[in-house]
Amino acid sequence: MQVIINKSSELSETTKNVINEKVNKLETYYDRIERAEVFVKEDDGSATNGYTVEIRLAIPGNDLFATHTDESIERATAEVTEALRRQIKKHKEKVTSH
């Protein structure tokens, strides 16, 4: 699976590794993921919002998408990947029931 990280400013190597690790772990739940596009955005400057992480998974059929905002990029990434894991589970149930 190809992981594409889009960020307006530079991310540290540690943060990139965390994002790659969490996103690649999704492949254990569904092996037909073609690519993952990760968008990391700094919110409008209010300190409470922090960062928004959006991930779009390209899979056969409809893409899966999730977004989460947190003060920490790592926590936001963890929440988004968990939401995508649940979506993958639902998608697999729907596909196998047909």
Side-chain angles (χ1 to χ4, degrees), residues 54-89:
E54 300 176 346
I55 300 178
R56 178 179 307 281
L57 293 181
I59 60 172
N62 294 331
D63 290 356
L64 302 178
F65 179 80
T67 183
H68 188 77
T69 301
D70 200 301
E71 295 171 8
S72 161
I73 294 175
E74 290 82 3
R75 276 198 310 263
T77 303
E79 291 293 329
V80 170
T81 53
E82 178 59 25
L84 286 169
R85 186 192 65 76
R86 290 191 301 269
Q87 288 183 34
I88 288 169
K89 190 175 174 186

